[in-house]
């Protein structure tokens, strides 16, 4: 599969910190969502339009993350996203979160998604989408 | 209007704390939502069913809170909810958050809601609902 | 007081929507926080450094918002922030949320903040900060 | 290791739904946190006191979940939690989320945690804790 990366930036919000003084681990899954929507946008697809116009929804069916080093309030993080799999009705992404561009990732993760319609019934990816992303 | 109170309990979650070591102020609005749904339930109405069966939705059109004293991780808070207004197409609630049952509130708030259908168009409250709540 | 506005942009995240298909009202208070930190940054102050170096914390003591029109997933919102009051130990902000630059606000709000140290004890604003912001 | 389960209940909040009309996947990680704190409490340990009195903090270093079936607003979910590993400086939990007591899990997950002090430096579990949990 393509090694094309997209790069997203998020700034850690106060609401995303916890009393340990670091970003709450649950926030990373929200950032991953921001990052994969950016990935789609850079490849010509607006997730909002996929939902509205194509009745294509991509609920998360699996999510995983490793938290290697903490991140902190007001940090500007770069999230590097890669599509790792796209089959008839499933798509997966990998993420690496960087605090500094040249340093190793402080967190990594992956998500897998089913392709369903508005009612949650499985459907296939439109062929154009599958081809352009893979 | 009736002075009937409903009492709800929430326990402050780790995710709801911030790096100041207290509950994040935004969390209170989520707790108010928990509390007013409890209020409706105690008066015979399940908000989920109002949405699903009556196509009655109550989006927040105004929200306000005063944070008098901080609350902390793992605190069990009691939220006392009162309906303060119900007219043709608008309903309002007041909330008081207590850390200790006999001590003054640590936070207070109020929300106002429009009655709309699924598409956001104004509608009137079903008369049974209006009568039973007021 | 100065009429100086700062302008912040946030894009509505999927996590911030609810099953009404609009942005959850609680999300606006998080966006206000993003916006007032931007306001401080544009005036030469990094809130993170105020906490770390000056032991100055600004917990929210009051928050209010009116939700005039809904906002939607993936909307890019502009938040216009104005400082409305700064006294010895209290500062207040006003916010207007715009979906389109030339259209009226879809939501407005305000927050008031106490100036405290790490332990929550009241303290006065550093004079430099007070002068530069007012 | 012990097969002892703890059982926690959470009710899906409106804030936790998204515009797909289901509970947002990120919310499950917050529920897992509620569930493991309940697990500790049932075994005689209050996580709040572990932090305050023992300077023992358990940041998440890995988290994973599978979302097998959606859950919905106002659902009362039972989360069954099991401790799966406790070594010198690491503890892991497994979770199963049930919508109906007798039906298979609608989601499963696991988290791994480091034992650190307030400054994030690795430390060992107090022996009493390790013995009682294992």
């Amino acid at each position: 599969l393509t090694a094309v990366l997209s790069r997203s930036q998020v700034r850690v919000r106060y609401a995303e910190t916890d009393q340990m003084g670091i970003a709450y681990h649950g926030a990373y899954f929200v950032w991953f969502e921001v990052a994969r929507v950016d990935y789609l946008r850079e490849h010509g697809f607006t997730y909002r339009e996929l939902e509205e116009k194509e009745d294509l929804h991509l609920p998360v069916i699996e999510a995983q993350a490793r938290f290697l080093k903490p991140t902190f309030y007001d940090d500007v993080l770069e999230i590097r996203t890669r599509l790792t799999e796209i089959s008839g009705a499933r798509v997966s992404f990998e993420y690496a979160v960087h605090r500094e561009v040249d340093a190793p990732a402080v967190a990594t993760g992956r998500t897998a998604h089913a392709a369903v319609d508005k009612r949650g019934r499985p459907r296939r990816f439109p062929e154009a989408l599958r081809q352009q992303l893979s």
Side-chain angles (χ1 to χ4, degrees), chain A:
Chain A
L1 263 176
T2 172
V4 176
L5 279 178
S6 80
R7 293 166 196 269
S8 303
Q9 283 198 336
V10 296
R11 190 187 282 271
V12 180
R13 298 172 172 185
Y14 212 89
E16 293 168 338
T17 64
D18 65 26
Q19 71 179 30
M20 239 178 267
I22 61 178
Y24 185 70
H25 70 285
Y28 291 71
F29 295 99
V30 177
W31 303 336
F32 292 167
E33 172 243 305
V34 170
R36 73 178 162 268
V37 171
D38 283 347
Y39 183 95
L40 293 174
R41 203 184 320 268
E42 285 190 21
H43 287 78
F45 301 94
T46 304
Y47 181 64
R48 177 184 188 157
E49 290 179 4
L50 291 179
E51 285 203 345
E52 286 174 3
K53 296 185 184 164
E54 307 275 346
D55 192 16
L56 175 67
H57 304 255
L58 300 175
V60 178
I61 56 174
E62 188 173 354
Q64 186 266 355
R66 281 175 203 268
F67 308 98
L68 307 167
K69 294 196 176 179
T71 61
F72 300 93
Y73 170 60
D74 213 38
D75 278 354
V76 176
L77 304 175
E78 181 178 288
I79 306 176
R80 300 177 191 163
T81 304
R82 218 161 50 89
L83 186 146
T84 53
E85 174 203 11
I86 183 164
S87 63
R90 183 184 161 112
V91 60
S92 300
F93 296 92
E94 273 184 9
Y95 314 87
V97 179
H98 291 259
R99 278 186 82 203
E100 294 166 64
V101 170
D102 297 330
V106 293
T108 59
R110 54 186 168 72
T111 58
H113 305 258
V116 300
D117 67 12
K118 187 182 350 193
R119 301 192 175 179
R121 289 174 303 201
R123 49 161 296 182
R124 298 185 65 76
F125 283 110
E127 187 58 23
L129 180 75
R130 211 179 58 72
Q131 286 207 349
Q132 188 145 350
L133 290 183
S134 66

